[in-house]
């Protein structure tokens, strides 16, 4: 993972607008593995993220690039992974709040950038950043729940916009945003539960992102992290479902087996499926999802497949940060 801060292969040239994402994928992967961030790496991260910050308070995908909600989310999460006062102080909360208001649309949706596309990713990025930074959610997101609920499809998952196909990543963004806005019941919970459950494939054990698609290790997080949030909502509202809440809604063991047996690369990292090369994106999200599968939110015992050395740090499913990184950042922004 650390090699990525020293040099990247030429194939990463296409990610020139994803500097904050590369920092986040690498740092979050290290954190979930229980590794400390070296001082030199932390300083490099701060330098890179600061260079991506714009006068609006938002962050672009690289130096001198326009501010973008995805880049802003990744930049903030990368700084939270570093976790020092110097890193967290880089964020301009006053300017960032103004930038979020600029991205808000009359429909309740958010655009990713000025004159850019609006989709459920943008809403989630804005909600997650605002929540983490202790920026008031009202009136900024007052109309967002209605728009998000319109993105739920007949299948039960969520699409990028109203009328689009249900997709694992957009489903995570939509439901997690509703969860953080305390409006999780503003969607069809039983339909969502059924759609999510059907995305775990019986043969491979991993999740597919859409109906009739191949399994991909990144959906270990995008699909898997929705379950603890959904199950918390259903547990508090027994009238919504007949599903028993004393056990998980997906198979933790076979999901771990898919990632550990099928997707690990002999040279390091995790690939999306057997035979493919590893990369930082899939490594980050596969590890995060693996952690979700290991730590049983409602059971007495964690479910670690294999030796105890396989145990990963516990993740916050709504932010994709380790619990320690999340509470450290939240404490900082609440106190300041």
């Amino acid at each position: 993972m650390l090699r990525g801060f020293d040099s990247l292969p030429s194939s990463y040239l296409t990610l020139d607008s994803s500097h904050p994402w590369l920092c986040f994928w690498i740092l979050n992967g290290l954190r979930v593995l229980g590794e400390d961030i070296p001082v030199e790496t932390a300083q490099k991260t701060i330098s890179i993220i600061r260079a991506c910050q714009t006068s609006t308070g938002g962050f672009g995908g690289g130096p001198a690039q326009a501010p973008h909600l995805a880049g802003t989310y990744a930049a903030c999460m990368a700084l939270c992974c570093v976790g020092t006062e110097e890193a967290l102080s880089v964020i301009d909360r006053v300017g960032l709040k103004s930038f979020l208001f600029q991205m808000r649309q009359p429909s309740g949706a958010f655009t990713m950038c000025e004159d850019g596309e609006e989709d459920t990713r943008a809403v989630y990025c804005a909600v997650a950043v605002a929540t983490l930074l202790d920026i008031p959610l009202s009136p900024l997101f007052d109309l967002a729940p209605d728009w998000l609920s319109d993105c739920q499809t007949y299948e039960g998952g969520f699409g990028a916009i109203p009328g689009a196909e249900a997709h694992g990543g957009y489903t995570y963004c939509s439901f997690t945003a509703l969860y953080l806005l305390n409006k999780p019941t503003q969607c069809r919970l039983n339909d969502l539960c059924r759609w999510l459950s059907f995305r775990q494939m019986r043969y491979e054990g991993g999740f597919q992102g859409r109906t009739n698609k191949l399994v991909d290790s990144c959906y270990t997080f995008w699909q898997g992290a929705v379950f603890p949030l959904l199950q918390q909502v259903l547990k508090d509202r027994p009238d919504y479902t007949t599903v028993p809440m004393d056990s998980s809604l997906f198979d933790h063991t076979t999901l771990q087996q898919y990632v550990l047996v099928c997707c690990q690369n002999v040279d390091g990292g995790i690939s999306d499926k057997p035979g493919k090369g590893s990369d930082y994106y899939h490594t980050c999200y596969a590890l995060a999802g693996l952690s979700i599968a290991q730590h049983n939110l409602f059971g007495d015992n964690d479910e670690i497949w294999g030796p105890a050395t396989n145990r990963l740090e516990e993740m916050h499913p709504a932010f994709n940060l380790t619990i320690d990184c999340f509470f450290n950042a939240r404490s900082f922004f609440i106190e300041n």
Side-chain angles (χ1 to χ4, degrees):
M1 300 291 283
L2 285 172
R3 288 200 302 266
F5 273 94
D6 294 326
S7 64
L8 291 169
S10 59
S11 59
Y12 279 85
L13 283 172
T14 57
L15 294 178
D16 183 59
S17 60
S18 299
H19 286 70
W21 282 109
L22 286 165
C23 291
F24 172 61
W25 295 335
I26 294 171
L27 296 176
N28 203 40
L30 290 170
R31 285 298 192 188
V32 71
L33 287 169
E35 298 291 326
D36 293 328
I37 306 301
V39 174
E40 182 182 359
T41 302
Q43 290 303 125
K44 282 184 178 180
T45 301
I46 293 170
S47 177
I48 292 169
I49 299 301
R50 185 177 279 127
C52 296
Q53 193 171 31
T54 71
S55 59
T56 66
F59 295 83
Q65 295 183 19
H68 194 280
L69 271 178
T72 297
Y73 166 86
C76 291
M77 298 304 157
L79 293 170
C80 289
C81 287
V82 174
T84 63
E85 182 176 349
E86 180 185 4
L88 297 175
S89 297
V90 170
I91 300 171
D92 173 13
R93 277 196 292 175
V94 175
L96 188 49
K97 178 181 177 180
S98 176
F99 173 65
L100 295 180
F101 269 100
Q102 292 173 40
M103 298 302 103
R104 186 180 64 165
Q105 301 302 303
S107 63
F110 280 67
T111 55
M112 294 298 282
C113 59
E114 185 177 2
D115 297 325
E117 73 275 25
E118 60 179 49
D119 58 39
T120 52
R121 295 174 307 157
V123 179
Y124 166 73
C125 288
V127 173
V129 166
T131 303
L132 192 61
L133 273 56
D134 201 37
I135 294 173
L137 300 181
S138 182
L140 183 56
F141 299 104
D142 285 355
L143 299 178
D146 288 338
W147 187 82
L148 288 168
S149 63
D150 286 342
C151 295
Q152 189 172 20
T153 76
Y154 71 95
E155 288 186 283
F158 290 79
I161 57 175
E165 180 185 11
H167 181 281
Y170 295 120
T171 295
Y172 171 84
C173 290
S174 300
F175 184 73
T176 304
L178 288 171
Y179 179 89
L180 292 174
L181 293 171
N182 200 30
K183 296 288 186 179
T185 59
Q186 203 162 318
C187 69
R188 305 189 314 276
L189 293 174
N190 279 331
D191 290 347
L192 173 60
C193 183
R194 182 179 63 250
W195 183 82
L196 283 169
S197 298
F198 284 165
R199 300 287 70 75
Q200 186 173 25
M201 297 292 95
R202 182 178 300 179
Y203 179 75
E204 299 94 332
F207 285 106
Q208 61 180 187
R210 292 177 285 164
T211 303
N212 293 326
K213 295 295 182 178
L214 296 175
V215 168
D216 186 320
S217 66
C218 72
Y219 295 110
T220 305
F221 177 81
W222 293 123
Q223 306 282 30
V226 179
F227 282 101
L229 303 177
L230 175 60
Q231 195 158 348
Q232 181 65 62
V233 174
L234 295 175
K235 182 177 172 60
D236 293 340
R237 297 167 175 81
D239 54 310
Y240 272 82
T241 183
T242 58
V243 177
M245 289 295 108
D246 56 353
S247 61
S248 178
L249 297 175
F250 70 97
D251 191 325
H252 291 228
T253 300
T254 58
L255 183 59
Q256 293 178 64
Q257 290 172 339
Y258 174 71
V259 173
L260 293 173
V261 176
C262 301
C263 297
Q264 290 196 87
N265 192 299
V266 67
D267 295 321
I270 297 175
S271 61
D272 69 342
K273 56 181 62 69
K276 296 292 188 70
S278 59
D279 58 70
Y280 295 111
Y281 167 81
H282 284 94
T283 300
C284 171
Y285 287 102
L287 287 173
L290 190 62
S291 171
I292 297 292
Q294 288 182 350
H295 298 283
N296 192 347
L297 186 63
F298 299 101
D300 295 329
N301 301 309
D302 291 339
E303 301 179 33
I304 313 297
W305 184 79
T309 52
N310 284 349
R311 177 184 292 272
L312 299 173
E313 296 297 306
E314 187 172 359
M315 304 296 290
H316 194 307
F319 296 92
N320 194 14
L321 291 171
T322 64
I323 296 296
D324 288 345
C325 286
F326 168 75
F327 281 111
N328 176 67
R330 277 289 288 162
S331 298
F332 176 85
F333 291 117
I334 288 173
E335 293 171 4
N336 291 278

